[in-house]
Amino acid sequence: MIPLGEARELIVSACPVMDPESRPLAAALRCVTAEPIVAQEDVPPFSNSAMDGFAVRSGDVAEAPARLRVVDSVVAGDGRPVSVGPGQAVRIMTGAVLPDGADAVCMVERTRTESDGQWVIIEQPVPTGTSVRLPGSDIVAGGKVVAAGTQLTPAHLGVLARLGLDSVRVHRPPTVGVLSTGDELTEGSTPLRRGMIRDGNRPMLVALVEDAGYTTIDLGIVPDDPAVLRKVIEDAAEHCDALITSGGVSVGDLDIVRIVLREMCGQSMHWMQVAIRPAKPLAFAMIDGRFPVFGLPGNPVSSMVAFQLFARPALRRMGGHTEVFQPTLSAVTDVELSREPDGKTHLIRVVAEVDAAGLLHVHPSGGQDSHQLLAMAEANALAILPDGSGARSGDNIEVLLLDTDRLRSITS
Ligand code: AMP
Ligand code: MG
């Protein structure tokens, strides 16, 4: 058996980083920047008001109350040249250009007007710079705004749009082919013939890849026929950047993924028994030195766990990430998690919840056999139990959070 960390390193380090390309901002969410981005302009581009109120010369309102003549009114988008002279004020709205001569804005709540708005009483002193946003106070021209290797968030896209960029250089996200193997597999609503089951892995793996931010090509169900599988893999190498298969990687006669990848790649195909449970058997091959094939196990829970532990980090590396492994968190187990020493790390499907103090608590989400996918569906985390005799209720354990959207507070 190969230790989990070693298997992960071996797979991730073999995967090539995708070439950079220019993408429109609207298609760049979650992509990873291929080069640093430097601002060509100040944001904001001009001094403007942070409040609705009156633009003033702070010297005029050093002593309050002060009575000023209102000489104009400016709103956001108004490009007229406007100025404030001694003893004057200009009515101003949030985002409007600060008039020449003014150096502060008094918020409207601290003013009164007289004579139908011709005069304004400033009720408190307004120091220079009050409620004024200076040019470059968000982003300075010439400054680095995004480092190379950054995964673009919605806020980054907003920043780039504010700078006037319409495209961005990112690593092309890999397109991933997904297929299932097995003569027993079918799909859809037609009643099952004896011995047949429906393919659950492919829809799940397609969704996992898309959830990770990558595009998929659904390559369907492939029968346990080496010639057919080989042809499908060769076609996939033409149209995809990586391939995920499920099933056919154990020691059985029909374990065709192992057989075909060995045939195609010889000894450079890694067929591993990883020291974990579930998801022990795994095949990994690099076709023509550029096309990774992740041969995940067929049991549905094993398939998903292997995706999370191996394929997802590898796809992240291809997509340009430098940090590919998700950090683990510490949690308290609310029940005993018993196990026998067997040389393997166990990954338990658990529900993680947050208590009133902000601590994570976990308990198993259901049955822990590798065919029991419902417990995986009900879990939002995997508890990592190192080799040994398990954890007692109240022990601190390590968890891998799968789904922050489903993290709930404990209500009792
Ligand atoms: P295998 O590794 O191909 O021997 O598959 C291991 C177990 O997983 C068997 O019980 C298969 O029937 C089952 N299995 C394989 N592929 C799938 C799939 N796509 N969906 C659901 N179960 C599967
Ligand atoms: Mg099979």
Side-chain angles (χ1 to χ4, degrees):
M1 284 194 299
I2 167 168
L4 174 59
E6 218 173 283
R8 293 179 102 188
E9 279 301 335
L10 184 158
I11 289 172
V12 165
S13 62
C15 289
V17 179
M18 304 289 293
D19 287 338
E21 65 171 14
S22 283
R23 285 210 151 206
L25 291 193
L29 181 64
R30 303 179 74 179
C31 293
V32 177
T33 50
E35 55 195 39
I37 300 169
V38 174
Q40 302 299 324
E41 296 174 7
D42 276 344
V43 180
F46 48 84
S47 288
N48 68 96
S49 179
M51 293 280 178
D52 294 336
F54 290 86
V56 298
R57 302 162 76 99
S58 57
D60 285 349
V61 294
E63 294 189 6
R67 190 162 179 269
L68 303 173
R69 181 156 189 95
V70 180
V71 294
D72 210 332
S73 174
V74 286
V75 296
D78 185 343
R80 289 176 304 133
V82 173
S83 56
V84 174
Q88 296 181 341
V90 165
R91 180 181 271 280
I92 192 165
M93 301 303 142
T94 306
V97 182
L98 192 72
D100 292 339
D103 65 350
V105 171
C106 181
M107 62 199 288
V108 71
E109 292 85 345
R110 304 220 173 112
T111 66
R112 275 179 293 124
T113 55
E114 287 179 351
S115 310
D116 220 11
Q118 291 183 59
W119 293 88
V120 62
I121 316 296
I122 306 294
E123 290 169 337
Q124 285 175 17
V126 186
T128 184
T130 303
S131 300
V132 173
R133 301 163 173 161
L134 294 175
S137 55
D138 181 11
I139 301 165
V140 186
K144 184 162 88 175
V145 288
V146 182
T150 303
Q151 180 173 34
L152 294 171
T153 63
H156 284 126
L157 298 180
V159 164
L160 301 185
R162 274 164 82 82
L163 288 169
L165 272 70
D166 33 42
S167 66
V168 57
R169 296 280 293 168
V170 294
H171 293 280
R172 186 166 69 78
T175 296
V176 184
V178 180
L179 64 84
S180 293
T181 65
D183 284 343
E184 75 278 34
L185 299 179
T186 176
E187 62 190 327
S189 57
T190 43
L192 291 173
R193 207 162 42 72
R194 182 177 158 83
M196 302 294 282
I197 59 168
R198 296 193 186 90
D199 177 6
N201 292 353
R202 195 163 39 100
M204 176 179 74
L205 290 166
V206 163
L208 283 165
V209 172
E210 304 224 329
D211 205 33
Y214 306 118
T215 309
T216 53
I217 297 182
D218 186 342
L219 300 171
I221 296 169
V222 176
D224 286 320
D225 176 335
V228 176
L229 179 64
R230 181 166 183 151
K231 176 86 179 60
V232 175
I233 295 178
E234 283 167 354
D235 277 356
E238 301 292 310
H239 301 107
C240 308
D241 303 303
L243 175 65
I244 294 179
T245 70
S246 73
V249 292
S250 334
V251 289
D253 295 344
L254 286 180
D255 283 326
I256 58 157
V257 173
R258 169 177 54 84
I259 293 165
V260 169
L261 289 178
R262 178 68 78 216
E263 197 180 285
M264 293 176 79
C265 302
Q267 290 311 309
S268 74
M269 190 274 283
H270 297 274
W271 180 54
M272 294 176 255
Q273 305 300 313
V274 187
I276 53 174
R277 181 182 157 166
K280 182 168 71 132
L282 184 75
F284 173 70
M286 183 63 72
I287 293 176
D288 297 335
R290 55 157 203 100
F291 183 68
V293 180
F294 304 94
L296 310 185
N299 275 308
V301 174
S302 306
S303 233
M304 172 150 167
V305 167
F307 175 85
Q308 295 290 357
L309 295 179
F310 306 108
R312 191 175 191 277
L315 295 176
R316 281 170 63 81
R317 173 172 160 101
M318 294 179 78
H321 284 275
T322 44
E323 309 248 315
V324 298
F325 298 117
Q326 197 192 330
T328 56
L329 303 174
S330 172
V332 177
T333 177
D334 288 339
V335 295
E336 186 186 350
L337 299 174
S338 59
R339 53 158 293 175
E340 297 296 321
D342 59 2
K344 296 180 200 157
T345 300
H346 288 196
L347 297 133
I348 316 290
R349 278 68 77 199
V350 293
V351 175
E353 296 167 305
V354 185
D355 74 10
L359 284 177
L360 270 187
H361 289 251
V362 297
H363 62 267
S365 59
Q368 297 291 322
D369 273 350
S370 59
H371 68 289
Q372 292 176 309
L373 190 58
L374 184 56
M376 180 92 252
E378 283 168 1
N380 62 356
L382 294 172
I384 303 170
L385 282 189
D387 192 23
S389 53
R392 283 164 310 190
S393 175
D395 280 355
N396 273 310
I397 57 168
E398 208 186 339
V399 298
L400 197 61
L401 211 52
L402 298 174
D403 191 349
T404 46
D405 282 357
R406 296 178 61 200
L407 194 56
R408 299 269 175 273
S409 300
I410 298 174
T411 47
S412 55

